[in-house]
Amino acid sequence: LTSAEAAERRGDLDRAYSDYRTATGGELSNDALAKAEQVRRRLVTRFTLAARGAFAKQDLDGSIAQWDRVLQLEPGNDTARLEQQKARALKEKIKSLK
């Protein structure tokens, strides 16, 4: 838990989430589970903003990659799935115009 909390303070949410998930030998205490969930939500928000920012900058590959990260954390996130499909469709459309 100590390394997870330190990683979270540094802003390394990927590491913090991983460390919280593996804390106490894989069996999370209620405190660690709550912190892991909080970090997971922060990561989803971070990746969502990055995906939307990349799309706005027409970095479709970057947007798709960030939506992949959201979907790894929340496989049932329909918004992420739809936005990723939109980026992929636009990428294909651009490719067909060349």
Side-chain angles (χ1 to χ4, degrees), residues 49-60:
L49 292 173
R52 290 192 170 136
F55 189 85
K57 294 176 185 173
Q58 300 177 359
D59 175 10
L60 300 177

Side-chain angles (χ1 to χ4, degrees), residues 46-70 83-84 87-88 91:
R46 178 183 286 180
F47 298 148
T48 297
L49 292 173
R52 290 192 170 136
F55 189 85
K57 294 176 185 173
Q58 300 177 359
D59 175 10
L60 300 177
D61 289 329
S63 180
I64 291 165
Q66 293 300 316
W67 288 123
D68 277 340
R69 296 184 83 181
V70 170
E83 292 293 328
Q84 186 181 55
R88 285 189 170 137
K91 183 178 173 180

Side-chain angles (χ1 to χ4, degrees), residues 60-61 88-98:
L60 300 177
D61 289 329
R88 285 189 170 137
L90 184 56
K91 183 178 173 180
E92 288 301 313
K93 188 172 186 177
I94 291 170
K95 199 183 288 187
S96 72
L97 293 174
K98 290 183 180 181

